[in-house]
Amino acid sequence: MTFAAATALRRLEDGVWEGSIAPGWDIAGAANGGYLLAIAARAASLTCGRIDPVTVTAHYLAPGKPGRVTAHVEVVKSGRRFATVSTELRDASRPLLRMLGSFSDLDDATPTTELMGSGPPDLPPVAECLPVTPTETFPPPFMGRVDLRLPAQTLSGWGEPGPPRVAGWFRLGEAEPMDTTGLLVAVDAFPPTIFFAGLPVAWVPTLELTAHIRARPAPGWLRGAFSTRFVTGGFLEEDGEVWDSEGRLVAQSRQLALLPRT
């Protein structure tokens, strides 16, 4: 199933949309956080009429399981350039996440000043990197819904002590275009950074995820780089950058996650 189909919605009434959490977009039985956020953001975008999520923050309330969901949307404020929108995504019995975001049309943005402190991660060519493919145990089914390629050196360090960083190539699928809503999946699609630091390899549930979308991505592969500086108090933060095929920064992210219970 394509990403577009897996995030499709139909309008029930003003501010209320119906969709489904599609099978196979899960990690350890719970839907990927970026995928859930994309459903909520798509409902917000359709309601406010602004196509691009410029900044969105989601707090995760319960794991999402395959099945019907509804998105309840409130336009908090609609201005000349930005609309601020709140969305609650629910299954049949409970809320799954709450999102607050600012939406706009990034085609209307005119760059005036740019200052770049760094560039895209240095990676081997896509053809020299290895796909992350799902198995019956791990990696999870979600990896069969997207196309993630990591350098062989990175994969060889899976589970070994090292710096908590990961970088690689990403796309939704060979023939599926990437839009700004799809970038919300890209920022949460890579293996957790602590998997490369010799810490327990297990589900790392996200408490909160914030994504900043800087531009609509050019066609082609994306490059993602993610790192963690602090693992303390049972929590870790993960900072991410996503760059498009033209070397432009198109998304940034930060999330707070729980350490696996051992």
Coordinates of all heavy atoms in Angstrom, one line a residue, residues 144-222:
G144 N 9.1 -2.4 5.6 CA 8.7 -2.9 4.3 C 7.8 -1.9 3.5 O 7.4 -2.1 2.4
R145 N 7.4 -0.8 4.2 CA 6.5 0.2 3.6 C 7.3 1.4 3.1 O 6.7 2.2 2.3 CB 5.5 0.7 4.7 CG 4.6 -0.4 5.2 CD 3.8 -1.0 4.1 NE 2.8 -1.9 4.7 CZ 2.0 -2.8 3.9 NH1 2.2 -2.8 2.6 NH2 1.1 -3.6 4.5
V146 N 8.6 1.5 3.5 CA 9.4 2.6 3.0 C 10.7 2.0 2.4 O 10.9 0.8 2.6 CB 9.7 3.6 4.1 CG1 8.4 4.2 4.6 CG2 10.4 2.9 5.3
D147 N 11.5 2.8 1.9 CA 12.8 2.4 1.3 C 13.9 3.1 2.0 O 14.2 4.3 1.8 CB 12.8 2.6 -0.2 CG 14.0 1.9 -0.9 OD1 14.9 1.3 -0.2 OD2 14.0 1.8 -2.1
L148 N 14.6 2.4 3.0 CA 15.6 3.0 3.7 C 16.9 2.2 3.4 O 17.0 1.0 3.5 CB 15.3 2.9 5.2 CG 16.4 3.4 6.2 CD1 16.6 4.9 6.1 CD2 16.0 3.0 7.7
R149 N 18.0 3.0 3.1 CA 19.3 2.3 2.8 C 20.3 2.9 3.7 O 20.5 4.2 3.8 CB 19.7 2.7 1.3 CG 18.6 2.4 0.3 CD 18.4 0.9 0.0 NE 17.4 0.7 -1.0 CZ 17.6 0.5 -2.3 NH1 18.8 0.6 -2.8 NH2 16.5 0.3 -3.1
L150 N 21.1 2.1 4.4 CA 22.1 2.5 5.3 C 23.5 2.0 4.8 O 23.6 0.9 4.2 CB 21.9 1.9 6.7 CG 20.6 2.3 7.4 CD1 20.5 1.7 8.8 CD2 20.5 3.9 7.5
P151 N 24.6 2.7 5.1 CA 25.9 2.2 4.7 C 26.2 0.9 5.4 O 25.8 0.6 6.5 CB 26.8 3.3 5.2 CG 26.0 4.6 5.3 CD 24.6 4.1 5.6
A152 N 26.9 0.0 4.7 CA 27.3 -1.3 5.3 C 28.0 -1.1 6.6 O 27.8 -1.9 7.5 CB 28.1 -2.0 4.3
Q153 N 28.8 -0.1 6.7 CA 29.6 0.1 8.0 C 28.6 0.4 9.1 O 28.8 0.0 10.3 CB 30.5 1.3 7.8 CG 31.4 1.5 9.0 CD 32.4 2.6 8.8 OE1 32.4 3.3 7.7 NE2 33.3 2.8 9.8
T154 N 27.5 1.2 8.8 CA 26.5 1.4 9.9 C 25.8 0.2 10.3 O 25.7 -0.1 11.5 CB 25.5 2.5 9.3 OG1 26.1 3.7 9.0 CG2 24.4 2.7 10.3
L155 N 25.4 -0.6 9.4 CA 24.7 -1.9 9.7 C 25.6 -2.8 10.5 O 25.1 -3.6 11.4 CB 24.2 -2.5 8.4 CG 23.0 -1.9 7.8 CD1 22.6 -2.5 6.5 CD2 21.8 -1.9 8.8
S156 N 26.9 -2.8 10.2 CA 27.8 -3.7 10.9 C 28.0 -3.3 12.3 O 28.4 -4.1 13.2 CB 29.2 -3.8 10.2 OG 29.8 -2.5 10.3
G157 N 27.7 -2.0 12.6 CA 27.8 -1.5 14.0 C 26.5 -1.6 14.8 O 26.4 -1.1 15.9
W158 N 25.4 -2.2 14.2 CA 24.1 -2.3 14.9 C 24.3 -3.1 16.2 O 24.8 -4.2 16.2 CB 23.2 -3.0 13.9 CG 21.7 -3.0 14.3 CD1 21.2 -3.4 15.4 CD2 20.7 -2.4 13.5 NE1 19.8 -3.2 15.4 CE2 19.5 -2.6 14.2 CE3 20.6 -1.8 12.2 CZ2 18.3 -2.2 13.7 CZ3 19.4 -1.4 11.8 CH2 18.2 -1.6 12.5
G159 N 24.0 -2.5 17.3 CA 24.0 -3.1 18.6 C 25.4 -3.1 19.2 O 25.6 -3.5 20.4
E160 N 26.4 -2.5 18.5 CA 27.7 -2.4 19.1 C 28.0 -1.0 19.7 O 27.4 0.0 19.3 CB 28.8 -2.7 18.0 CG 28.7 -4.0 17.4 CD 29.0 -5.1 18.4 OE1 29.8 -4.9 19.3 OE2 28.3 -6.2 18.3
P161 N 28.8 -0.9 20.7 CA 29.1 0.4 21.3 C 29.7 1.4 20.3 O 30.5 1.0 19.5 CB 30.1 0.1 22.4 CG 29.9 -1.3 22.7 CD 29.5 -2.0 21.4
G162 N 29.2 2.6 20.3 CA 29.7 3.6 19.3 C 28.9 4.9 19.6 O 28.1 5.0 20.5
P163 N 29.1 5.9 18.7 CA 28.4 7.1 18.9 C 26.9 7.0 18.5 O 26.6 6.2 17.5 CB 29.1 8.1 17.9 CG 29.8 7.2 16.9 CD 30.1 6.0 17.6
P164 N 26.0 7.6 19.2 CA 24.6 7.4 19.0 C 24.2 8.3 17.8 O 23.5 9.3 17.9 CB 23.9 7.9 20.3 CG 24.9 8.8 20.9 CD 26.2 8.4 20.5
R165 N 24.5 7.9 16.6 CA 24.2 8.6 15.3 C 23.9 7.6 14.3 O 24.4 6.4 14.3 CB 25.4 9.4 14.9 CG 25.9 10.5 15.8 CD 26.8 11.5 15.1 NE 28.0 10.8 14.6 CZ 29.1 10.7 15.3 NH1 29.2 11.3 16.4 NH2 30.2 10.1 14.7
V166 N 23.0 8.0 13.3 CA 22.7 7.2 12.2 C 22.4 8.1 11.0 O 21.8 9.2 11.2 CB 21.5 6.2 12.5 CG1 20.3 7.0 12.8 CG2 21.3 5.3 11.3
A167 N 22.9 7.7 9.8 CA 22.6 8.5 8.6 C 22.4 7.6 7.4 O 23.0 6.5 7.4 CB 23.7 9.5 8.3
G168 N 21.6 7.9 6.5 CA 21.3 7.1 5.3 C 20.4 7.7 4.3 O 20.1 8.9 4.4
W169 N 20.0 6.9 3.3 CA 19.1 7.4 2.3 C 17.7 6.9 2.5 O 17.5 5.9 3.1 CB 19.6 6.8 0.9 CG 21.0 7.1 0.5 CD1 22.1 6.4 0.7 CD2 21.4 8.3 -0.2 NE1 23.2 7.1 0.2 CE2 22.8 8.2 -0.4 CE3 20.6 9.4 -0.8 CZ2 23.5 9.2 -1.1 CZ3 21.3 10.4 -1.5 CH2 22.7 10.3 -1.6
F170 N 16.7 7.8 2.1 CA 15.3 7.4 2.4 C 14.5 7.9 1.2 O 14.7 8.9 0.6 CB 14.8 8.1 3.6 CG 13.4 7.9 3.9 CD1 12.9 6.8 4.6 CD2 12.4 8.8 3.5 CE1 11.6 6.6 4.9 CE2 11.1 8.6 3.7 CZ 10.6 7.5 4.4
R171 N 13.4 7.1 0.9 CA 12.3 7.5 0.0 C 11.1 6.7 0.4 O 11.2 5.6 1.1 CB 12.7 7.3 -1.5 CG 12.9 5.8 -1.8 CD 13.3 5.7 -3.3 NE 13.5 4.3 -3.7 CZ 13.9 3.9 -4.9 NH1 14.1 4.7 -5.9 NH2 14.1 2.6 -5.1
L172 N 9.9 7.1 0.0 CA 8.7 6.4 0.3 C 8.6 5.1 -0.5 O 8.3 4.1 0.0 CB 7.5 7.3 0.0 CG 7.3 8.4 1.0 CD1 6.1 9.3 0.5 CD2 7.0 7.9 2.4
G173 N 8.9 5.2 -1.8 CA 8.9 4.1 -2.7 C 9.5 4.5 -4.0 O 9.6 5.7 -4.3
E174 N 9.7 3.5 -4.9 CA 10.4 3.8 -6.1 C 9.6 4.8 -7.0 O 10.2 5.7 -7.7 CB 10.7 2.5 -6.9 CG 11.5 2.7 -8.2 CD 11.8 1.4 -8.9 OE1 11.5 0.4 -8.3 OE2 12.4 1.5 -9.9
A175 N 8.3 4.7 -7.0 CA 7.5 5.5 -7.9 C 6.6 6.5 -7.2 O 5.8 7.2 -7.9 CB 6.6 4.5 -8.8
E176 N 6.8 6.6 -5.9 CA 5.9 7.5 -5.1 C 6.5 8.8 -4.9 O 7.6 8.8 -4.3 CB 5.4 6.8 -3.8 CG 4.3 7.7 -3.1 CD 3.6 6.9 -2.0 OE1 4.1 5.8 -1.7 OE2 2.6 7.4 -1.6
P177 N 5.9 9.9 -5.2 CA 6.5 11.2 -5.0 C 6.5 11.6 -3.5 O 5.6 11.1 -2.7 CB 5.6 12.2 -5.8 CG 4.3 11.5 -5.9 CD 4.6 10.0 -5.9
M178 N 7.4 12.4 -3.1 CA 7.5 12.8 -1.7 C 7.0 14.3 -1.6 O 7.4 15.2 -2.4 CB 9.0 12.8 -1.3 CG 9.3 13.4 0.1 SD 8.5 12.5 1.5 CE 9.6 11.1 1.5
D179 N 6.1 14.5 -0.7 CA 5.6 15.8 -0.4 C 5.9 16.2 1.0 O 6.6 15.5 1.7 CB 4.1 16.0 -0.7 CG 3.2 15.0 0.2 OD1 3.8 14.4 1.1 OD2 2.0 14.9 0.0
T180 N 5.5 17.4 1.4 CA 5.9 17.8 2.8 C 5.2 17.0 3.9 O 5.8 16.9 5.0 CB 5.5 19.3 3.0 OG1 4.2 19.6 2.6 CG2 6.5 20.2 2.1
T181 N 4.0 16.4 3.6 CA 3.4 15.5 4.6 C 4.3 14.2 4.7 O 4.4 13.7 5.8 CB 2.0 15.2 4.2 OG1 1.3 16.4 4.1 CG2 1.3 14.3 5.3
G182 N 4.8 13.8 3.6 CA 5.6 12.6 3.6 C 6.9 12.8 4.4 O 7.5 11.9 5.0
L183 N 7.4 14.1 4.5 CA 8.6 14.3 5.3 C 8.4 14.0 6.8 O 9.3 13.8 7.5 CB 9.0 15.8 5.1 CG 9.6 16.2 3.7 CD1 9.8 17.7 3.7 CD2 10.9 15.4 3.5
L184 N 7.1 14.1 7.2 CA 6.8 13.7 8.6 C 7.1 12.3 8.9 O 7.4 11.9 10.0 CB 5.4 14.1 8.9 CG 5.0 15.6 8.7 CD1 3.5 15.8 9.0 CD2 5.9 16.5 9.6
V185 N 7.0 11.4 7.9 CA 7.4 10.0 8.0 C 8.9 9.9 8.0 O 9.6 9.2 8.8 CB 6.8 9.2 6.9 CG1 7.3 7.7 7.0 CG2 5.3 9.2 7.1
A186 N 9.6 10.7 7.1 CA 11.0 10.6 6.9 C 11.8 10.9 8.2 O 12.8 10.3 8.5 CB 11.5 11.6 5.8
V187 N 11.2 11.9 9.0 CA 12.0 12.3 10.2 C 11.8 11.2 11.3 O 12.5 11.4 12.4 CB 11.5 13.7 10.7 CG1 11.8 14.7 9.7 CG2 10.0 13.7 11.2
D188 N 11.0 10.2 11.1 CA 10.8 9.2 12.2 C 11.0 7.8 11.6 O 10.5 6.8 12.2 CB 9.4 9.4 12.8 CG 9.3 8.6 14.1 OD1 10.2 8.6 14.9 OD2 8.2 8.0 14.4
A189 N 11.7 7.7 10.5 CA 11.8 6.4 9.9 C 13.1 5.6 10.1 O 13.1 4.4 9.9 CB 11.6 6.6 8.3
F190 N 14.1 6.3 10.6 CA 15.4 5.7 10.8 C 15.4 4.9 12.1 O 14.7 5.2 13.1 CB 16.5 6.7 10.8 CG 16.8 7.2 9.4 CD1 15.9 8.0 8.7 CD2 18.0 7.0 8.8 CE1 16.2 8.4 7.4 CE2 18.4 7.5 7.6 CZ 17.4 8.2 6.8
P191 N 16.3 3.9 12.2 CA 16.4 3.2 13.5 C 16.9 4.2 14.6 O 17.6 5.1 14.3 CB 17.6 2.2 13.2 CG 17.6 2.0 11.7 CD 17.2 3.4 11.2
P192 N 16.4 4.0 15.8 CA 16.8 4.8 16.9 C 18.3 4.9 17.1 O 19.0 3.9 16.9 CB 16.2 4.2 18.2 CG 15.0 3.4 17.6 CD 15.4 2.9 16.3
T193 N 18.8 6.1 17.4 CA 20.3 6.3 17.4 C 20.9 5.4 18.5 O 22.1 5.0 18.3 CB 20.5 7.8 17.8 OG1 19.8 8.1 19.0 CG2 20.1 8.7 16.7
I194 N 20.2 5.1 19.6 CA 20.8 4.3 20.6 C 21.1 2.9 20.2 O 21.9 2.2 20.9 CB 20.0 4.3 21.9 CG1 18.6 3.7 21.7 CG2 19.9 5.7 22.5 CD1 17.9 3.4 23.0
F195 N 20.5 2.4 19.1 CA 20.9 1.1 18.6 C 22.3 1.0 18.2 O 22.9 -0.1 18.0 CB 20.0 0.7 17.4 CG 18.6 0.4 17.7 CD1 18.0 0.7 19.0 CD2 17.7 -0.1 16.7 CE1 16.7 0.4 19.3 CE2 16.4 -0.4 17.0 CZ 15.9 -0.2 18.3
F196 N 23.0 2.1 17.9 CA 24.4 2.1 17.5 C 25.3 2.6 18.6 O 26.4 2.9 18.4 CB 24.5 3.0 16.3 CG 23.6 2.7 15.2 CD1 22.3 3.3 15.1 CD2 23.9 1.6 14.3 CE1 21.4 2.9 14.1 CE2 23.0 1.3 13.3 CZ 21.7 1.9 13.2
A197 N 24.8 2.6 19.9 CA 25.6 3.0 21.0 C 25.8 1.8 22.0 O 26.2 2.1 23.1 CB 24.9 4.2 21.7
G198 N 25.4 0.6 21.6 CA 25.6 -0.5 22.5 C 24.5 -0.6 23.6 O 24.7 -1.3 24.6
L199 N 23.4 0.2 23.5 CA 22.4 0.1 24.4 C 21.3 -0.9 24.0 O 21.3 -1.3 22.9 CB 21.8 1.5 24.6 CG 22.7 2.6 25.2 CD1 22.1 3.9 25.2 CD2 23.2 2.2 26.6
P200 N 20.3 -1.2 24.9 CA 19.4 -2.3 24.5 C 18.6 -2.0 23.2 O 18.2 -0.8 23.0 CB 18.4 -2.3 25.7 CG 19.3 -1.8 26.9 CD 20.2 -0.8 26.3
V201 N 18.5 -3.0 22.4 CA 17.8 -2.8 21.1 C 16.4 -3.3 21.4 O 16.1 -4.5 21.5 CB 18.4 -3.6 20.0 CG1 17.6 -3.6 18.7 CG2 19.8 -3.1 19.7
A202 N 15.4 -2.3 21.5 CA 14.0 -2.6 21.7 C 13.2 -1.4 21.3 O 13.8 -0.4 20.9 CB 13.8 -2.9 23.2
W203 N 11.9 -1.6 21.4 CA 11.0 -0.5 21.0 C 11.4 0.8 21.8 O 11.5 0.7 23.1 CB 9.6 -0.9 21.2 CG 8.6 0.2 20.7 CD1 8.6 0.9 19.6 CD2 7.4 0.5 21.4 NE1 7.5 1.8 19.6 CE2 6.7 1.5 20.7 CE3 6.8 0.1 22.6 CZ2 5.5 2.1 21.1 CZ3 5.6 0.6 23.0 CH2 5.0 1.6 22.2
V204 N 11.5 1.9 21.2 CA 11.8 3.2 21.8 C 10.6 4.1 21.6 O 10.5 4.8 20.6 CB 13.1 3.8 21.3 CG1 13.4 5.1 22.0 CG2 14.3 2.9 21.4
P205 N 9.6 4.1 22.5 CA 8.3 4.8 22.2 C 8.5 6.3 22.3 O 9.2 6.8 23.2 CB 7.4 4.3 23.3 CG 8.3 3.8 24.4 CD 9.5 3.3 23.7
T206 N 8.0 7.0 21.3 CA 8.0 8.5 21.3 C 7.0 9.1 22.2 O 5.8 8.8 22.1 CB 7.9 9.0 19.8 OG1 8.9 8.4 19.0 CG2 8.0 10.5 19.8
L207 N 7.4 10.0 23.0 CA 6.4 10.8 23.8 C 6.0 12.1 23.1 O 4.8 12.4 23.1 CB 7.1 11.2 25.1 CG 7.4 10.1 26.1 CD1 8.0 10.8 27.4 CD2 6.2 9.3 26.5
E208 N 7.0 12.7 22.4 CA 6.7 14.0 21.7 C 7.6 14.1 20.5 O 8.8 13.7 20.6 CB 6.9 15.2 22.6 CG 6.6 16.5 22.0 CD 7.9 17.2 21.4 OE1 9.0 16.7 21.8 OE2 7.8 18.1 20.6
L209 N 7.0 14.5 19.4 CA 7.8 14.7 18.2 C 7.4 16.1 17.5 O 6.3 16.4 17.4 CB 7.4 13.6 17.2 CG 8.0 13.7 15.7 CD1 9.5 13.8 15.7 CD2 7.4 12.6 14.8
T210 N 8.5 16.8 17.3 CA 8.3 18.1 16.6 C 9.1 18.1 15.3 O 10.2 17.6 15.2 CB 8.8 19.3 17.4 OG1 8.0 19.4 18.6 CG2 8.8 20.6 16.7
A211 N 8.4 18.6 14.2 CA 9.0 18.6 12.9 C 8.9 20.0 12.3 O 7.8 20.6 12.4 CB 8.4 17.6 11.9
H212 N 10.0 20.5 11.8 CA 10.0 21.8 11.1 C 10.3 21.5 9.6 O 11.3 20.9 9.2 CB 11.2 22.7 11.6 CG 11.0 23.1 13.0 ND1 12.0 23.5 13.8 CD2 9.9 23.0 13.8 CE1 11.6 23.8 15.0 NE2 10.3 23.5 15.1
I213 N 9.3 21.9 8.8 CA 9.5 21.7 7.3 C 9.9 22.9 6.7 O 9.2 24.0 6.7 CB 8.1 21.2 6.7 CG1 7.6 20.0 7.5 CG2 8.3 20.9 5.2 CD1 8.5 18.8 7.5
R214 N 11.1 22.9 6.0 CA 11.7 24.1 5.5 C 11.4 24.3 4.0 O 11.4 25.5 3.5 CB 13.2 24.0 5.6 CG 13.7 24.0 7.0 CD 13.4 25.2 7.8 NE 14.1 25.2 9.1 CZ 15.2 25.9 9.3 NH1 15.8 26.6 8.4 NH2 15.7 25.9 10.5
A215 N 11.1 23.3 3.2 CA 10.9 23.4 1.8 C 10.3 22.1 1.3 O 10.4 21.1 1.9 CB 12.2 23.7 1.1
R216 N 9.6 22.3 0.1 CA 9.2 21.1 -0.6 C 10.3 20.3 -1.2 O 11.2 21.0 -1.9 CB 8.1 21.4 -1.6 CG 6.8 22.0 -1.0 CD 5.8 22.3 -2.1 NE 4.7 23.0 -1.5 CZ 3.8 23.6 -2.3 NH1 3.8 23.6 -3.6 NH2 2.8 24.2 -1.7
P217 N 10.5 19.0 -1.0 CA 11.6 18.3 -1.5 C 11.6 18.2 -3.0 O 10.6 17.9 -3.6 CB 11.6 17.0 -0.8 CG 10.1 16.8 -0.5 CD 9.5 18.2 -0.3
A218 N 12.8 18.2 -3.6 CA 13.0 17.9 -5.0 C 12.8 16.4 -5.2 O 13.0 15.6 -4.3 CB 14.3 18.4 -5.5
P219 N 12.4 15.9 -6.4 CA 12.3 14.5 -6.6 C 13.6 13.8 -6.4 O 14.7 14.3 -6.6 CB 11.9 14.4 -8.1 CG 11.3 15.7 -8.4 CD 12.0 16.7 -7.6
G220 N 13.5 12.5 -5.9 CA 14.7 11.7 -5.7 C 14.9 11.3 -4.3 O 14.1 11.6 -3.4
W221 N 16.0 10.7 -4.0 CA 16.4 10.2 -2.7 C 16.6 11.4 -1.7 O 17.1 12.4 -2.1 CB 17.6 9.4 -2.7 CG 17.4 8.0 -3.3 CD1 17.5 7.7 -4.6 CD2 17.0 6.8 -2.6 NE1 17.2 6.3 -4.8 CE2 16.9 5.8 -3.6 CE3 16.8 6.5 -1.3 CZ2 16.6 4.5 -3.3 CZ3 16.4 5.2 -1.0 CH2 16.4 4.2 -1.9
L222 N 16.2 11.2 -0.5 CA 16.5 12.1 0.6 C 17.7 11.5 1.4 O 17.9 10.3 1.5 CB 15.3 12.2 1.6 CG 14.0 12.7 1.0 CD1 12.9 12.6 2.0 CD2 14.1 14.2 0.5

